[in-house]
């Protein structure tokens, strides 16, 4: 029996107004305890461009320099987060917007410089997550909505991968709840053929994952989600599911669509 759903919604859903509204309606309709973690989408890039702050990426990862951390803090923790909370309130879901700094819920460590200096980017360990404030909100019937931001304990906000935040929260909260972690994005699940949206692999265990890796059939973009999924499973999370944002409500039932990780 699953009694907590931790749901991460990707940036491409955030950037699609119609898909986002549909997703939020279905998320609000989930009657069980739930947490939402959202990505940033392209809003920070657009606002940064208006402010004359160039977005820089290495291998698809944002370089978060001093100017950029100001932009993503404003956009992720402010604009995007509060818009989502307001929209959930309009749909009857009593939500509260949070970052990892609020309640000291998610302390992080600034990523050390190796070959690349990612700037103000945070790495999270599940054992650092402070669950008491989250449990108090859940037990009070309030749905936490987390922006992809953490803090270093010394006053510095850090930009942090939303998939990792979702996985870390799921692992930490699995000590109290039976958790299903759901990654929602614009695809129907993990695909055996990245060019065929219907080529969904319905079930992946460790052996199947190794076979898929050996066959090199998985797209690079799905690998971090699978790494986070198996990390969560290995540390107490009951189930992880990767699927389309439109399927979020059905994916909180026993009849799931997408890819179940076990």
């Amino acid at each position: 029996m699953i009694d907590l759903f931790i749901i991460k919604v990707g940036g491409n859903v955030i950037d699609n107004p119609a898909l986002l509204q549909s997703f939020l309606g279905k998320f609000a309709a989930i009657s069980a305890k739930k947490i939402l973690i959202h990505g940033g989408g392209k809003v920070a890039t657009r606002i940064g461009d208006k402010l004359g702050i160039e977005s820089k990426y290495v291998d698809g990862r944002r370089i978060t320099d001093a100017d950029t951390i100001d932009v993503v803090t404003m956009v992720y923790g402010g604009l995007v987060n509060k818009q989502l909370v307001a929209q959930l309130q309009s749909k009857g879901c009593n939500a509260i917007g949070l970052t990892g700094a609020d309640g000291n819920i998610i302390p992080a460590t600034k990523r050390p410089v190796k070959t690349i200096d990612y700037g103000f980017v945070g790495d999270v360990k599940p054992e650092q997550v402070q669950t008491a404030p989250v449990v108090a909100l859940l037990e009070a019937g309030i749905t936490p909505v987390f922006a992809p931001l953490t803090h270093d304990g010394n006053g510095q906000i850090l930009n942090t991968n939303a998939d990792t935040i979702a996985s870390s929260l799921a692992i930490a909260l699995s000590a109290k709840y039976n958790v299903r972690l759901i990654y929602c994005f614009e695809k129907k699940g993990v695909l055996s053929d990245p060019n065929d949206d219907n080529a969904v692999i319905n079930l992946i265990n460790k052996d199947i994952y190794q076979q898929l890796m050996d066959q090199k059939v998985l797209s690079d973009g799905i690998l971090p989600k699978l790494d986070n999924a198996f990390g969560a499973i290995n540390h107490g999370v009951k189930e992880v599911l990767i699927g389309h944002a439109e399927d979020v409500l059905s994916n909180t039932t026993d009849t799931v669509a997408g890819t179940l990780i076990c």
Side-chain angles (χ1 to χ4, degrees), residues 88-106:
L88 286 172
Q89 298 291 5
S90 75
K91 300 176 189 303
C93 176
N94 191 10
I96 185 167
L98 298 168
T99 71
D102 296 296
N104 192 33
I105 295 170
I106 313 175

Side-chain angles (χ1 to χ4, degrees), residues 183-258:
Y183 288 111
C184 293
F185 66 149
E186 71 283 0
K187 301 290 186 181
K188 294 181 179 180
V190 180
L191 305 178
S192 58
D193 179 354
N195 298 313
D196 182 357
D197 285 346
N198 293 312
V200 177
I201 305 169
N202 297 118
L203 179 71
I204 297 180
N205 57 28
K206 291 178 183 177
D207 290 339
I208 295 172
Y209 184 36
Q210 188 58 54
Q211 291 171 15
L212 294 169
M213 291 292 289
D214 291 343
Q215 295 165 5
K216 299 187 184 327
V217 300
L218 299 174
S219 66
D220 291 341
I222 203 68
L223 295 180
K225 282 185 173 57
L226 286 169
D227 287 342
N228 278 305
F230 279 107
I233 290 290
N234 291 337
H235 290 87
V237 176
K238 191 171 180 66
E239 298 170 350
V240 182
L241 195 136
I242 300 173
H244 199 286
E246 286 283 12
D247 295 323
V248 65
L249 184 56
S250 63
N251 281 341
T252 61
T253 69
D254 291 332
T255 305
V256 300

Side-chain angles (χ1 to χ4, degrees), residues 61-239:
R61 296 176 183 267
R62 185 187 291 273
I63 302 297
T64 309
D65 59 18
D67 288 333
T68 303
I69 192 61
D70 287 347
V71 172
V72 298
T73 300
M74 289 187 291
V75 174
Y76 298 168
L79 180 63
V80 175
N81 187 266
K82 299 313 175 188
Q83 284 180 339
L84 292 177
V85 169
Q87 289 166 27
L88 286 172
Q89 298 291 5
S90 75
K91 300 176 189 303
C93 176
N94 191 10
I96 185 167
L98 298 168
T99 71
D102 296 296
N104 192 33
I105 295 170
I106 313 175
T109 303
K110 185 175 180 290
R111 184 170 298 167
V113 178
K114 294 180 181 178
T115 56
I116 299 167
D117 183 356
Y118 286 101
F120 295 102
V121 169
D123 292 324
V124 179
K125 293 181 180 179
E127 60 268 23
Q128 295 175 301
V129 175
Q130 307 297 307
T131 60
V134 182
V135 171
L137 290 168
L138 291 169
E139 295 302 322
I142 299 171
T143 296
V145 179
F146 280 92
L149 299 167
T150 58
H151 76 122
D152 69 354
N154 296 307
Q156 179 63 57
I157 291 286
L158 298 169
N159 185 16
T160 302
N161 181 275
D163 287 352
T164 303
I165 288 178
S167 176
S168 297
L169 282 168
I171 292 168
L173 287 162
S174 66
K176 182 171 178 64
Y177 301 101
N178 288 321
V179 176
R180 179 182 291 174
L181 171 60
I182 304 176
Y183 288 111
C184 293
F185 66 149
E186 71 283 0
K187 301 290 186 181
K188 294 181 179 180
V190 180
L191 305 178
S192 58
D193 179 354
N195 298 313
D196 182 357
D197 285 346
N198 293 312
V200 177
I201 305 169
N202 297 118
L203 179 71
I204 297 180
N205 57 28
K206 291 178 183 177
D207 290 339
I208 295 172
Y209 184 36
Q210 188 58 54
Q211 291 171 15
L212 294 169
M213 291 292 289
D214 291 343
Q215 295 165 5
K216 299 187 184 327
V217 300
L218 299 174
S219 66
D220 291 341
I222 203 68
L223 295 180
K225 282 185 173 57
L226 286 169
D227 287 342
N228 278 305
F230 279 107
I233 290 290
N234 291 337
H235 290 87
V237 176
K238 191 171 180 66
E239 298 170 350

